[in-house]
Amino acid sequence: MSIRKKLRREEGAAAVEFALIVGLLAILVFGLLEYGLAFWQVQNLRAAAREGARVAAVRGDGDAIRAAMVDAAAGSLDGGFSYSPSRACDDTTVGQSVTITINNGSLPGSAREAFEVSIPFLPPIQLNPSLEGTFRCE
């Protein structure tokens, strides 16, 4: 077989094309997974803040608010976090809004780690979401 015929053969071309594309595909897939996990964590924490605001709106005390938030967080929170209510609900605040804000700095390490989206071959992306829930005082 002559050298010219050997050079025109296309055996292995698909493997070379795959090798060129697989890196970009890996970045895309792992980036989607990392972002999805971070989004899930943020949604869990926002649901916890909403639940805390709901309990605060019906005049729950601090322990009831914290317990409701931990229960609603789907494992994202433990008891060692801090939150700040905008006001306490009582007879004078009926119809006004109460907002519960979870302080990002007080979150457990696993929750804070989820806010760093780490995509292969790219610098990490740090998310700083606002974690608050608002309800009207009843």
Side-chain angles (χ1 to χ4, degrees):
M1 186 179 278
S2 73
I3 295 178
R4 285 186 183 193
K5 285 186 180 180
K6 285 184 181 180
L7 291 176
R8 289 186 185 162
R9 291 172 39 193
E10 294 186 18
E11 296 171 2
V16 171
E17 291 169 357
F18 178 74
L20 292 172
I21 299 297
V22 75
L24 184 61
L25 183 64
I27 290 172
L28 183 66
V29 168
F30 289 115
L32 285 171
L33 289 173
E34 284 280 332
Y35 183 76
L37 287 172
F39 185 76
W40 178 75
Q41 185 76 276
V42 168
Q43 288 303 101
N44 280 341
L45 294 170
R46 285 186 178 151
R50 279 192 308 270
E51 187 64 19
R54 186 192 67 77
V55 171
V58 294
R59 303 179 190 176
D61 63 350
D63 292 335
I65 293 170
R66 182 175 295 278
M69 291 171 74
V70 169
D71 289 343
S76 297
L77 290 176
D78 55 12
F81 67 97
S82 67
Y83 67 92
S84 54
S86 60
R87 69 169 46 92
C89 288
D90 56 22
D91 290 334
T92 63
T93 60
V94 172
Q96 297 178 8
S97 295
V98 61
T99 300
I100 297 287
T101 303
I102 298 175
N103 303 324
N104 290 354
S106 70
L107 293 172
S110 60
R112 276 182 288 167
E113 287 174 7
F115 294 153
E116 184 174 300
V117 179
S118 180
I119 301 171
F121 307 114
L122 295 175
I125 301 167
Q126 187 67 38
L127 302 177
N128 190 15
S130 62
L131 304 172
E132 53 185 39
T134 303
F135 266 79
R136 187 172 38 99
C137 291
E138 298 293 325

